[in-house]
Amino acid sequence: MLKFIAPSSLFLISFQSVALVPPDYQEPANDFTAEVEAGLQLNKGNTESSSFNGRTQLIFDTKQTKQEAVLKAYFASEKNQTTSEKYELQLQSNYKLDRGYIFARGDFTWDQFGSYTKISTFSIGYGFNAINSYRTKLSLEVGPGYRYNLPSESPIQSDPEAEKDVILRTAAKVSQKLQEYTSINADLTAEVGDKNNTLTLDMNYKNLVFQDWAFKIGVNIKYTEEVPEDSKHTDTITTFNLLYTFR
């Protein structure tokens, strides 16, 4: 009797497992993705130093909308004296259409040692995916905006006046898979205004090392046409980071 009951029990358990979990079952899609990275930083331009940086990206992507937040922090010190302290916050909300999407975006920068100590940019507009394949993705954005720049203090101007400007913002975002575990990403953004123009290139190479861990090399180059006296037009930040992705 025991010889008969044991195989029968195993058969019933296996049958119930198949009934509860069909063969074509798939885990539900996760709309939330987060990236956290940190590493070495090399600065050239208005800030000459080498230190550490951190970056956090949060994305909530649903069928109708996409919310994205990016926080970057740069810090350096030499001989117990701070030489670089910069924070960037980028917020963007997309409402998806049949073709393309409508976006609202805010960019905020606090830079204690930069040519501008505070930069705030608000923009709205239209974007669309020009290419959306497995290996290559290209999205384009255009829209009007408003920019607030506060120049840094100088011996000539101890209380600088803030620059307020209406701008036209255009952006191109490219992502190219080189292999299954390596990719190149580049964002090119231009802000054209009556008082000042800027051009920013944010490019990185990412290589997956183990599961959700990746090694990332990034370069951020920003050109500002009009800068305070004794300031350079181009700022360059090069980073070497270890990145972890939450899915």
Side-chain angles (χ1 to χ4, degrees), residues 47-225:
T47 302
E48 298 281 348
S49 63
S50 61
S51 188
F52 292 94
N53 75 95
R55 172 182 171 274
T56 301
Q57 181 184 42
L58 306 175
I59 298 177
F60 187 69
D61 192 357
T62 65
K63 184 177 180 180
Q64 195 65 55
T65 63
K66 180 180 179 180
Q67 319 295 335
E68 182 176 358
V70 179
L71 176 62
K72 301 178 183 179
Y74 308 93
F75 181 82
S77 61
E78 296 178 1
K79 297 180 180 179
N80 297 325
Q81 184 177 2
T82 302
T83 60
S84 174
E85 187 175 358
K86 181 179 180 181
Y87 305 95
E88 295 181 0
L89 176 63
Q90 301 167 356
L91 303 172
Q92 181 161 334
S93 178
N94 298 346
Y95 181 79
K96 301 177 184 179
L97 307 172
D98 292 337
R99 293 185 178 180
Y101 55 90
I102 298 173
F103 72 86
R105 181 181 178 91
D107 293 85
F108 311 92
T109 300
W110 300 268
D111 191 355
Q112 185 177 351
F113 296 91
S115 56
Y116 290 95
T117 57
K118 292 182 182 179
I119 303 175
S120 300
T121 305
F122 304 91
S123 60
I124 58 174
Y126 174 77
F128 68 96
N129 299 317
I131 302 176
N132 190 19
S133 65
Y134 173 74
R135 288 193 172 272
T136 306
K137 298 183 185 298
L138 170 63
S139 62
L140 305 174
E141 297 178 352
V142 61
Y146 173 82
R147 182 175 57 208
Y148 172 92
N149 288 349
L150 181 62
S152 59
E153 296 183 1
S154 64
I156 301 175
Q157 195 172 14
S158 59
D159 188 17
E161 184 178 354
E163 299 176 2
K164 302 175 183 178
D165 203 1
V166 176
I167 63 168
L168 176 66
R169 176 183 175 273
T170 58
K173 303 179 181 181
V174 184
S175 178
Q176 177 66 49
K177 273 185 173 293
L178 302 179
Q179 296 177 353
E180 183 66 23
Y181 302 110
T182 60
S183 63
I184 291 180
N185 306 281
D187 294 353
L188 182 63
T189 304
E191 296 179 0
V192 180
D194 183 52
K195 297 180 181 179
N196 209 343
N197 303 318
T198 64
L199 183 65
T200 305
L201 173 63
D202 192 358
M203 185 167 56
N204 65 76
Y205 167 83
K206 185 164 60 174
N207 182 31
L208 188 65
V209 178
F210 176 74
Q211 291 185 349
D212 295 326
W213 291 93
F215 176 69
K216 180 179 174 183
I217 302 175
V219 178
N220 183 283
I221 304 173
K222 182 175 181 179
Y223 173 81
T224 305
E225 186 175 6

